[in-house]
Amino acid sequence: MIKITETAAPFAATISGLKLAGLEDESAWEEIRRTWAAFPVLAFPNQPLSIEELEAVTTHFGDFGVDLYVYPVDGHPNVIEIRRDADEKAPPFAADAWHSDWSFFETPPAGTLLHAQIIPPVGGDTVFADCTAAYEALPEEDQQELEGMKALHSAILGYSTKGAFANDAHKRSMKIRVSEDAEARHAHPLVRVHPVTGRKSLFINPVYTVGIEGMEDAEATEFLSPLYTHMLQEQFTYRQSWAPDMLLLWDNRRVIHAASGGYDGHARLLHRTTIAGEPVIAT
Ligand code: SIN
């Protein structure tokens, strides 16, 4: 029987009591998808999954999303490695860098699955912020102002030839693809409506949101900064610690996330897939 355990954060839960590998019971998948709509961060502890089984699990949530800037695992075009070797000196991928995965795409991924292979004995948590709760806590006049705006998203700061990964001072084990096409900008509604729940969320993040339509970039940076401070308040955030074989599923339409470090000298390896999304719905 599926057991749903709530966490201290109202948007994160743990699911146990079932084996995902080879699970064919469509009613169980329906219950998982329903639970995911209520809890956009879902942990499934103790789920040993081969890469093929992770791929099969992903397809119960939709088509595969595209990972343009990280080369996939050989023979598995929809799976990437989030990897840092024990002797690696480059900062952990996405450490302290709050983002919604690939938000600069025209149709950003609906969700992401991350499956733990090697987990360090200390550190390496993934942290989340609930952008729906943050939106709903704003005064009504702020909500109205934001609903009329479009934010500009781009991969420039990370993946362009001028970006952070092109200028890594240390060798990195992750297979990052740097490209000039990462400079492209894409506008999305600053407040989006979730296609399943109908709830509104702030759809901005400090890594990929590089401007606001109709504003100078410097003005946009100043405008966005207090919003990020608001979104990252403790009452909207949740910290997920890892164990080997844990699967984590999150909803990029509702949460932003960041990796954390704190495990120098230890290896960390996870397999990641994304679930294709839909065009961002404005209010
Ligand atoms: C990611 O941003 O997809 C990676 C998160 C993590 O490594 O904890």
Side-chain angles (χ1 to χ4, degrees), residues 62-66 106-111 192 195 253 274-280:
D63 294 334
F64 289 110
V66 175
E106 190 176 349
T107 52
R192 74 181 293 178
R253 301 164 295 193
T274 57
I275 305 160
E278 53 287 299
V280 177

Side-chain angles (χ1 to χ4, degrees), residues 82 93-94 99 101 112 114 124-126 242 250 257-260 268 270 272:
I82 305 292
F93 178 73
H99 64 287
D101 286 326
T112 300
L114 199 53
D125 296 347
T126 308
W242 286 93
W250 66 81
H257 65 279
S260 52
R268 183 174 184 268
L270 304 100
R272 194 181 97 162

